[in-house]
């Protein structure tokens, strides 16, 4: 891809992995739209990115109409949409007998149904522009662990959904990848990044990975990528 002609949409783009991807794409010359639930937070992230080629959108991926409106805003602003990064997600961890209905539904609705909403709302643009769809799953999408039943279910679902979608969409010359990171320095699950996080994957590392994917020979498709820190703490 000639990246300085491309337009990208990143859900959950205000911090963590989403912000790291947005920063890398802006630096590569891509016009970028980022979304989050609170407009003031998205506007602050836009300011932190320091580029006029960033569009801030208030949208909740749990609401399909929000995603439709987000895509419409992007097309109205930039004329098209080429790259979609379904990144918005959250985690709630508890033994299955203690996991609340509220936390289960929050994870399934955001992590899994939200990924579907984002693709469903953007697929016409991806078809028109022979675009690229990337979902951000997790190593928890292939490795289960105690207290992770709800999170595992959502992320296993994202992996299966994205791989099946890849088979559906490649006939339209749409490339589809799911990235499955391990430990990343982020605000995930209420964590505050600090100096002790140096051993982890950094958000900008995932951003660079996305740029590298976009720059690959169009005949090459890494459809599922597991990525983990080189070492453990």
């Amino acid at each position: 891809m000639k990246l300085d002609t491309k337009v990208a949409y990143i859900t959950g783009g205000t911090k963590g992995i989403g912000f790291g991807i947005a920063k890398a794409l802006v630096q590569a010359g891509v016009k970028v739209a980022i979304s989050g639930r609170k407009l003031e937070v998205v506007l602050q992230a836009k300011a932190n990115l320091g580029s006029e080629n960033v569009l801030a959108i208030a949208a909740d991926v749990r609401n399909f109409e929000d995603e439709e409106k987000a895509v419409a805003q992007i097309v109205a602003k930039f004329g098209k949409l080429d790259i979609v990064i379904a990144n918005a997600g959250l985690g709630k961890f508890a033994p299955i007998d203690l996991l609340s209905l509220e936390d289960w539904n929050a994870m399934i609705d955001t992590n899994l149904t939200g990924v579907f909403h984002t693709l469903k709302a953007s697929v016409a643009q991806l078809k028109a522009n022979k675009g690229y769809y990337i979902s951000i799953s997790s190593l928890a999408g292939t490795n289960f662990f105690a207290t992770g039943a709800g999170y595992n279910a959502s992320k296993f679902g994202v992996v299966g959904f994205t791989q099946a979608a890849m088979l559906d969409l490649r006939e339209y010359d749409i490339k589809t990848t799911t990235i499955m990171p391990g430990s990343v320095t982020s605000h995930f699950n209420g964590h505050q990044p600090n100096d002790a996080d140096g051993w982890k994957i950094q958000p900008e590392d995932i951003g660079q990975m996305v740029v590298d994917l976009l720059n690959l020979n169009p005949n090459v498709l890494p459809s599922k990528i597991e990525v983990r820190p080189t070492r453990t703490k």
Side-chain angles (χ1 to χ4, degrees), residues 27-195:
Q27 290 173 346
V30 179
K31 296 179 177 65
V32 173
I34 56 173
S35 70
R37 294 179 187 176
K38 296 181 179 180
L39 182 59
E40 61 271 23
V41 175
V42 189
L43 289 171
Q44 183 59 59
K46 173 183 175 176
N48 292 340
L49 288 168
S51 171
E52 290 303 312
N53 287 325
V54 176
L55 175 64
I57 298 173
D60 186 338
V61 297
R62 297 175 298 179
N63 185 330
F64 178 62
E65 290 184 354
D66 275 13
E67 290 303 277
E68 286 186 306
K69 291 175 183 176
V71 172
Q73 284 181 256
I74 294 164
V75 174
K77 172 71 172 178
F78 296 126
K80 62 173 184 169
L81 176 58
D82 304 285
I83 303 158
V84 175
I85 316 289
N87 166 75
L90 55 85
K92 305 286 185 179
F93 303 97
I96 191 61
D97 53 319
L98 301 178
L99 182 64
S100 69
L101 290 174
E102 180 182 15
D103 285 349
W104 170 274
N105 289 331
M107 286 185 284
I108 297 299
D109 291 348
T110 302
N111 299 358
L112 182 53
T113 304
V115 165
F116 168 65
H117 285 167
T118 301
L119 178 55
K120 186 72 172 177
S122 62
V123 70
Q125 279 293 308
L126 293 174
K127 285 181 179 180
N129 300 308
K130 297 183 178 181
Y132 207 137
Y133 175 80
I134 298 173
S135 67
I136 305 299
S137 182
S138 168
L139 288 182
T142 193
N143 301 289
F144 51 85
F145 55 91
T147 75
Y151 190 67
N152 283 143
S154 69
K155 291 300 187 178
F156 269 69
V158 170
V159 173
F161 167 80
T162 308
Q163 294 306 290
M166 178 268 296
L167 298 177
D168 291 337
L169 296 176
R170 62 182 176 178
E171 67 179 279
Y172 303 103
D173 292 323
I174 298 171
K175 297 180 77 171
T176 306
T177 298
T178 189
I179 299 175
M180 306 165 65
S183 298
V184 179
T185 298
S186 73
H187 296 81
F188 181 75
N189 201 33
H191 177 72
Q192 290 298 318
N194 58 70
D195 292 342

Side-chain angles (χ1 to χ4, degrees), residues 195-232:
D195 292 342
D197 290 336
W199 63 276
K200 298 179 181 178
I201 301 163
Q202 301 302 307
E204 54 266 30
D205 299 328
I206 305 299
Q208 183 60 54
M209 180 175 292
V210 169
V211 172
D212 290 343
L213 283 170
L214 297 174
N215 280 322
L216 279 176
N217 185 313
N219 292 330
V220 178
L221 177 60
S223 58
K224 182 169 65 173
I225 301 171
E226 294 188 7
V227 55
R228 48 181 50 82
T230 304
R231 301 174 181 174
T232 63

